[in-house]
Structure formats: C-alpha cells, structure tokens
Amino acid sequence: MSAVEVVVILVAGFAAGAINAVVGSGTLVTFPTLVAFGYPPQIATMSNSIGLVAGGVSGTWGYRGELRGQGHRLAWQAPASFVGALIGAWLLLHLPPSVFAAVVPVLLVAALILLVVQPRIQRWVRARSEAGGHAVDRITRARLTVLTIATFAVGIYGGYFTAAQGILLMAAMGVILPESMQRMNAAKNVLSLVVNVVAAVAFTVVAFDRISWAAAGLIAVGSLLGGSIGARYGRRLSPTALRALIVVIGLIGLWRLLA
C-alpha cells in the first residue's frame, strides 16, 4: 500500500465518519475510494463496514444528549435493526450485487421525497390527532409497530449495502414520529451502529480472509475522528439546515450510484 493510498483512505474515512454522524451515507465516500484503488466491490463493502464501526461509536457518543427519553422506543428498534442486519449480511455473502443494484436508487429517491414532504406529513398527522382528541406526541402501539417494521427493513438494506441507510432511517422516522430532527438523528446513529456492528462481526467470522484489514484499519482511524467532529458541529444545525444537508448529500449519493 503506497503512501498516497494510505493518506487518501484516511481522509475518506474521516469524511465518511463526519457525514455518517450528521446525515448518513458516508459509505458513498469510502466505498468508491476503495474500488478506485482496485479493491473488488465485495471486499470493499466488507472492509468498509468494519472500518466505519469506529466512526459510528464516536458519532453516537457525540449525540448522547439527544438520546435521552428514547430508550423505550429504541428497545424495539435496536433488535429490529439487529435481525435485519443479520439477514442483509447473509444476502451480501450469498447473492450477486446486481440483485439490489436496481432497488437502491429507488429506495433513495423515495427517502429523499419523504424527507422533503416530511413537515407537511407531520402537520397533517398532528391535525388529525388533535381533531380526534388524541395526544399528539404519544407513540401509539400501531405507530410503534410500523416504526419497528420500517427499522427492520432498513436494517436488511444496511446489512447488505450500508450506503444511505441513515437517510432511509431519517425518512421513516420523520414520517412516523413526532420528534425533532436532531433527536431522530441521534436515534439514527444508534441504529446504524447496530447494523454496522452486526455486519462487521458477520463478515469477520464468515469471510475473515476476504477482508482488507489494512484498509479497514485506516477507515477506522479516520472515521473515529470524523464521527466526533461531525457530531460536534451537526448538533448545531437547525432542522431546516439539517434536512437540506441530508437531501443534498442524498442527491449526490444518488448521482454516484447511478453513475
């Protein structure tokens, strides 16, 4: 591994860690970087998943204040992410990449549309709840069930291909939950970390010899610092700015996926 490759992968890991803490989709930086240096796509995916765990830890820790009061809901969502990630990791190891290639852009477009119209949907839900005399901010059993199923589905996607899972989670939670953008972002970091840890462990156990540990280590070092800095500054963004940033990065990611 040349000095240029080391520096570029480190920088890519830093950028991915920062982006994941604030938005998600950091994989769209590190994955193409590894592929550009000649790593086969499957090896790049597995090495990248392992490396980004460190950034997920620092990003989640940076958002720990916004996690207060979300324990009950995450107690349902985290297991859903865990099981979904197991299934997604199995799919990556047994199915050709072409199976999901056509699905990923469609999911990303749908998530971006949901994020854009999310304020209107939340206002509509709030109006219906108030008209029916229900508590607007109460998480009903039906709403929690839908949220858990959506989290499980995103977990499958994340275990298979980690890119943009944060955007999908934010879109799903934004439509279902009466929460602020920053609090949902904190929950997103926890759930994305669960998926990445499951995928990383699965890949290590099943495909240890197919992982580039040098690349994974460089991404881990870079993303650890990037996640901490991303969380520090991301928490200061207004809901509108955070939503706009997610949409912009999502559109860039969509362009890169299609290209």
Side-chain angles (χ1 to χ4, degrees):
M1 185 179 291
S2 67
V4 172
E5 185 175 345
V6 169
V7 172
V8 171
I9 294 177
L10 272 173
V11 172
F14 174 85
I19 292 171
N20 279 343
V22 182
V23 180
S25 300
T27 292
L28 295 174
V29 176
T30 45
F31 177 77
T33 299
L34 294 181
V35 171
F37 280 114
Y39 294 88
Q42 193 177 55
I43 292 177
T45 297
M46 293 187 291
S47 304
N48 177 66
S49 295
I50 292 172
L52 289 180
V53 168
V57 172
S58 60
T60 299
W61 177 254
Y63 268 91
R64 63 192 181 279
E66 284 75 14
L67 287 171
R68 294 189 184 97
Q70 300 195 64
H72 173 70
R73 189 168 65 248
L74 287 173
W76 286 88
Q77 288 184 271
S81 288
F82 179 86
V83 177
L86 284 176
I87 296 174
W90 184 89
L91 290 174
L92 177 66
L93 294 170
H94 292 83
L95 296 179
S98 58
V99 174
F100 273 23
V103 178
V104 172
V106 175
L107 290 175
L108 187 51
V109 169
L112 293 176
I113 292 174
L114 285 175
L115 280 169
V116 171
V117 302
Q118 173 196 332
R120 292 188 177 184
I121 294 176
Q122 286 190 331
R123 285 195 296 270
W124 177 76
V125 172
R126 181 177 293 272
R128 282 180 58 88
S129 297
E130 291 175 345
H134 303 298
V136 177
D137 296 330
R138 187 170 68 90
I139 307 299
T140 63
R141 182 175 297 180
R143 186 180 292 186
L144 183 60
T145 300
V146 173
L147 179 65
T148 303
I149 294 173
T151 303
F152 169 72
V154 176
I156 295 176
Y157 170 90
Y160 186 93
F161 186 61
T162 56
Q165 67 167 320
I167 294 177
L168 294 175
L169 278 170
M170 289 291 284
M173 290 190 292
V175 172
I176 300 169
L177 296 177
E179 284 283 12
S180 69
M181 289 291 291
Q182 291 292 3
R183 282 175 59 79
M184 288 190 294
N185 200 42
K188 176 266 294 177
N189 285 341
V190 172
L191 299 173
S192 296
L193 177 60
V194 169
V195 171
N196 283 347
V197 168
V198 171
V201 171
F203 298 152
T204 300
V205 172
V206 178
F208 186 90
D209 57 335
R210 286 185 278 168
I211 296 167
S212 173
W213 291 102
L218 291 172
I219 292 174
V221 172
S223 68
L224 183 66
L225 180 58
S228 177
I229 292 178
R232 178 184 303 177
Y233 292 101
R235 295 172 66 233
R236 303 177 186 178
L237 293 174
S238 68
T240 301
L242 181 56
R243 185 178 291 105
L245 181 61
I246 294 173
V247 171
V248 169
I249 292 180
L251 290 174
I252 294 173
L254 179 62
W255 172 74
R256 297 196 67 168
L257 286 170
L258 294 176

